[in-house]
Amino acid sequence: MTATSNPTADPTRQFSPAYEGRYLPIAEYGIIGNLHTTALVSVTGSIDFMCLPRFDSPTVFGRLLDADKGGFFSFECLAEDTKNKQLYLPGTNILITRFLSEDGIAELTDFMPIVDEELDFAVFRRLKGVYGHHRVRLDLRPRYGYGKRGCIAEKNAAGRGYLLRDPGGEQPTMLLLTDLEMDISDDGLSATIDLRQGDNIDFILTLNEGVDFDLDWMHCFTSCRKYWTTWSRKCTYDGFWKEPVLRSVLALKLLTSARYGSTIAAATFGLPEKMGGSRNWDYRYTWIRDSAFTMYAFLRLGYRKEAEGFMDWIREKCVDCLQLMYAVDGQTELPESELDHLEGYRGSQPVRIGNAASKQKQMDIYGELIDTIYLYNQAGGSVTHDFWTSITALVDYVIEHWKDEDHGIWEVRSGKERFLHSAVCCWVAIDRAMKIAEDRSLPCPMGKWREVRDDIYKDIYYNFWNEEIQAYVQFKGSDTVDAAALLMPLLRFVSSKEPRWLKTFKAIEEKLSADVLIFRYKQEHGATDGLDGDEGAFAICSFWYVECLARIGHVDKATVVFEKMLGYANHLGLMSEEIGLHGEQLGNFPQAFSHLSLISAAFQIDKKNR
């Protein structure tokens, strides 16, 4: 996929004149990574977001969150009216950015070698003169510690290149390897490059210590391309939407830690769910729910190794003390704070790091996790005696607490309720554990489990139904519908032909849709997150809607809705969490939830078309 950048066409640029020209739309970025961290590269060739050395480390480049203080690594063609195009090499996460002007064509190649250790970090950037003669401005201006500190730039006295030190000494010293003579200033490095046809000028941004692999450009490029194309060929999806499904699973892979096996919810923090709004969360952590769904996507596409890595992480870090989310290494303390020194993307404050929702009670995660273990078992995965003992402890907790109020799938901060989706997932937790036990003849109090499972079913059927609005409601006693009810048949709690659920589906269409866009729920009527302002439509809810359409037999409509939703992805096929009311991408980017639900929707339509 390629697309020409057209910044003036995006309505988010009109949010405030103060931000005009200082921030690109969220959709105008691609992502590269090494399975330990990621970087967002703009369609104009600037790395505007990168954490070092891990997904959840402080940023060294954060211009996406503060145009002045965030830091960046940019290339800018100085010719007037330069246009840009961006694409991935097929089947890889190697990114190509092109500069098109009256002077000719220049090209920037970006990738990170896939490495075993976090400190074996490197970003490879090659500037190539394809045709003509160009003048290109390079600026490398790191800002350590989430933009709180500048950098100390100096020539590398011990050898080639330039050092970029953290004045606070807290983050690793970076080393820029290049044969180009750079200008050193108080805030970084710069150069004006005379680029001619046939020139290849290489830049390798790595660490001054700890790197333990060959930094030859062509060797690393060939190895990286081979890694990604080999990995992509393992994808077993053979349906109609091969390209968007493959791009989605490549994005999910970039968000998965090679060291720990855990998957983060998104690459970024602080990107707003509404321009100028305050719903600006940190998604660089591993949610049990998101990771469980991601592992299901990996299993469906033939990536059992990734599923096994997640299961190992669950067994080692989480299963005996389950909470909503963790750091990628399993750390449980994720204190939330605000970075007051950053202005936020287009003035959207506060910019938060950490996540206070980590301590919320959310009963749905038990069902989502055990459902994934069930699917892992179905795919031939191992369920040992010790693992089964841990699973039964989770079931025991559900049996004891399934009537408890919680914060629900949407992590509301206004108070606890008896949420429909949480109740459904409690049913799922017991049901899937029973299926695992039956499949492997494992010991369990089957009679007790069946009795509680059936009690939950009856409680939902009778007590979450609102006769007046003819729908299952968001929480017991409420009068609002919630898009999470779309998951009821997807989790096999009800048949897609169940009359009450079909009426709920109709109510969601009538109350929560804008064409193919589906909103979570109406903030003014349902449980709230305690913050003012509205939000966009959630991409995952739209893809759930697609699946439901296919399940109830409306396959043609499901196909059209799915293809129209693909049109909201960016030029590379990447999606953030939400689609705004002007068609812009909102929220953290790229978002695992959006891509895993895209994969699931494609599977469901293909299944119905066979």
Side-chain angles (χ1 to χ4, degrees), residues 27 149 252 266 355 512 535 540:
R149 304 183 297 276
L252 293 177
N355 202 307
L512 299 181
E535 61 187 13
I540 192 171

Side-chain angles (χ1 to χ4, degrees), residues 36 56 96 134 177 242 318 403 423 425 524 598 604 606:
H36 301 286
D56 52 358
I96 308 293
H134 308 266
L177 296 174
K242 180 79 173 181
C318 311
K403 295 181 181 180
C425 285
E524 63 270 23
L598 182 158
Q604 189 60 43
D606 286 329

Side-chain angles (χ1 to χ4, degrees), residues 33-192:
N34 64 358
L35 311 185
H36 301 286
T37 191
T38 61
L40 295 191
V41 184
S42 76
V43 75
T44 59
S46 179
I47 297 179
D48 288 344
F49 184 91
M50 188 176 78
C51 300
L52 187 71
R54 204 171 77 174
F55 298 115
D56 52 358
S57 298
T59 55
V60 291
F61 303 129
R63 182 158 68 169
L64 192 60
L65 295 168
D66 192 305
D68 300 321
K69 301 176 185 175
F72 57 92
F73 184 1
S74 69
F75 292 89
E76 179 187 3
C77 273
L78 299 180
E80 293 184 4
D81 299 322
T82 298
K83 294 181 174 60
N84 299 94
K85 288 189 175 182
Q86 204 172 49
L87 67 151
Y88 283 111
L89 291 182
T92 78
N93 282 306
I94 298 174
L95 191 62
I96 308 293
T97 304
R98 289 185 177 138
F99 305 87
L100 312 174
S101 71
E102 291 185 359
D103 294 338
I105 306 169
E107 189 172 271
L108 178 66
T109 300
D110 285 308
F111 68 92
M112 290 189 194
I114 305 304
V115 292
D116 293 330
E117 300 297 329
E118 293 167 3
L119 294 180
D120 286 339
F121 157 86
V123 176
F124 281 64
R125 315 196 78 184
R126 168 170 282 185
L127 187 62
K128 181 182 183 68
V130 177
Y131 184 82
H133 176 208
H134 308 266
R135 288 178 63 77
V136 181
R137 170 78 179 183
L138 180 158
D139 283 292
L140 173 53
R141 306 189 186 282
R143 295 291 179 269
Y144 286 95
Y146 295 112
K148 292 179 180 177
R149 304 183 297 276
C151 77
I152 301 170
E154 59 190 15
K155 273 201 167 185
N156 182 18
R160 176 179 168 223
Y162 299 83
L163 297 175
L164 299 135
R165 301 185 188 277
D166 176 1
E170 297 177 18
Q171 288 179 266
T173 297
M174 291 190 290
L175 170 65
L176 179 69
L177 296 174
T178 181
D179 294 327
L180 190 72
E181 191 70 24
M182 304 288 290
D183 295 325
I184 301 174
S185 64
D186 290 340
D187 58 356
L189 303 171
S190 62
T192 300

Side-chain angles (χ1 to χ4, degrees), residues 490-519:
L490 308 190
L491 292 170
R492 295 179 173 83
F493 175 80
V494 296
S495 163
S496 57
K497 306 297 184 182
E498 169 62 45
R500 285 192 170 187
W501 181 80
L502 285 172
K503 291 177 181 178
T504 304
F505 179 79
K506 182 180 179 181
I508 290 171
E509 283 189 313
E510 292 174 351
K511 299 175 184 292
L512 299 181
S513 70
D515 189 39
V516 302
L517 301 176
I518 305 295
F519 298 87

